[in-house]
Amino acid sequence: MASYLVLLGPPGAGKGTQAKRLAANTGLAHISSGDIFRQHLKESTELGKKARVYIDRGELVPDDVTIAMIRERLSRPDCKAGAILDGFPRTTDQAAGLDDILGDLGGRVDRVLFVAVPDDELIRRLSGRLVCRAQGHIYQRDFNPPQEPGVCDVDGSELYQRDDDKEETVRHRIQVYRQQTAPLIEYYRQRSLLTEIEGGQPVEQVTADMLAAIGKGS
Ligand code: AMP
């Protein structure tokens, strides 16, 4: 049966970094709603045009648009064995939408990994975050710099700062997270699906804790 994991946590908690590592370890597809939106922005699709105003302001893209996008993505063949959801769901309506989608696909949410990191640490991490243009590999200017400044170690593409990682937008995104996404912690705790992971630890330890939480620890 397919296995679906949700990574929940504030912007800057390390969800993207960890989702990539978990995907490499488990063979599950990595589905990042933020990455899909950024791809649409880059290609100026209709969806990208709709989403841009919200993303630029650090607000959430409306639920109906986001849920439809994720439904389409999870229906593709590379998600047959399941997926690691990074950045979705972000509202309780999206969580209900996800239950519907997975019900139709014959699955369910198997585990929600809540990555907890204090606010001051989030701002510090996000304001120095760099992302690679080609594949979204993630670096941090101070704690995890690339070998050569401005160049991705993995694919050699240019590193850039996301527009929505500027400090003012970061603060707003954290506020939006507190108001709209944090209620999902209780939502999933009540369903006995939540495991809290200490996100302030070294990257390798966070991955090890996540693998242990999904029964794939060494
Ligand atoms: P992320 O890369 O996850 O930080 O997402 C970047 C931006 O994309 C967010 O600030 C939102 O504007 C939008 N976004 C990503 N995922 C969602 C979602 N599940 N619901 C609504 N908006 C989202």
Side-chain angles (χ1 to χ4, degrees), residues 8-10 13 113-118 122 125 177 196-201:
L8 181 63
L113 302 171
F114 164 49
V115 195
V117 175
L122 297 177
R125 286 187 187 186
Y177 166 79
E196 181 163 340
I197 304 284
E198 176 42 70
Q201 307 178 94

Side-chain angles (χ1 to χ4, degrees), residues 13-213:
K15 298 187 299 297
T17 299
Q18 293 298 334
K20 284 189 168 56
R21 294 171 62 86
L22 285 181
N25 260 284
T26 59
L28 297 173
H30 170 201
I31 309 300
S32 157
S33 45
D35 283 353
I36 303 175
F37 280 131
R38 279 184 287 281
Q39 192 62 33
H40 280 279
L41 294 189
K42 204 159 107 183
E43 292 169 6
S44 277
T45 64
E46 280 310 307
L47 176 59
K49 285 178 202 155
K50 248 191 244 174
R52 180 177 295 282
V53 278
Y54 300 98
I55 294 173
D56 283 351
R57 289 190 205 131
E59 308 264 337
L60 296 185
V61 178
D63 285 338
D64 54 344
V65 175
T66 307
I67 293 168
M69 179 182 87
I70 292 291
R71 176 181 284 281
E72 188 280 323
R73 184 65 190 86
L74 284 175
S75 309
R76 293 197 203 164
D78 64 326
C79 294
K80 243 197 163 78
I84 297 163
L85 288 157
D86 158 17
F88 180 92
R90 259 173 153 102
T91 64
T92 44
D93 280 355
Q94 289 183 15
L98 178 60
D99 288 342
D100 277 353
I101 296 169
L102 297 186
D104 292 345
L105 292 171
R108 61 186 164 81
V109 173
D110 292 287
R111 184 118 307 261
V112 178
L113 302 171
F114 164 49
V115 195
V117 175
D119 276 12
D120 49 349
E121 172 72 12
L122 297 177
I123 293 170
R124 216 156 57 102
R125 286 187 187 186
L126 287 173
S127 51
R129 174 160 75 177
L130 298 167
V131 184
C132 104
R133 288 224 186 262
Q135 297 181 69
H137 295 112
I138 302 161
Y139 299 84
Q140 214 290 341
R141 216 172 266 138
D142 306 313
F143 320 114
N144 177 31
Q147 279 165 12
E148 193 183 324
V151 181
C152 178
D153 294 350
V154 183
D155 57 37
S157 77
E158 183 200 5
L159 302 181
Y160 74 104
Q161 182 182 42
R162 280 170 43 174
D163 281 341
D164 62 349
D165 278 349
K166 308 269 152 66
E167 182 160 341
E168 210 182 285
T169 317
V170 161
R171 285 186 193 281
H172 186 58
R173 285 165 59 210
I174 293 172
Q175 236 175 20
V176 167
Y177 166 79
R178 297 270 170 247
Q179 284 165 2
Q180 302 192 53
T181 307
L184 289 180
I185 300 167
E186 265 321 299
Y187 178 95
Y188 283 121
R189 204 195 306 275
Q190 279 170 15
R191 287 162 177 73
S192 302
L193 289 173
L194 197 84
T195 302
E196 181 163 340
I197 304 284
E198 176 42 70
Q201 307 178 94
V203 171
E204 295 77 15
Q205 188 57 49
V206 175
T207 311
D209 287 3
M210 289 183 165
L211 288 169

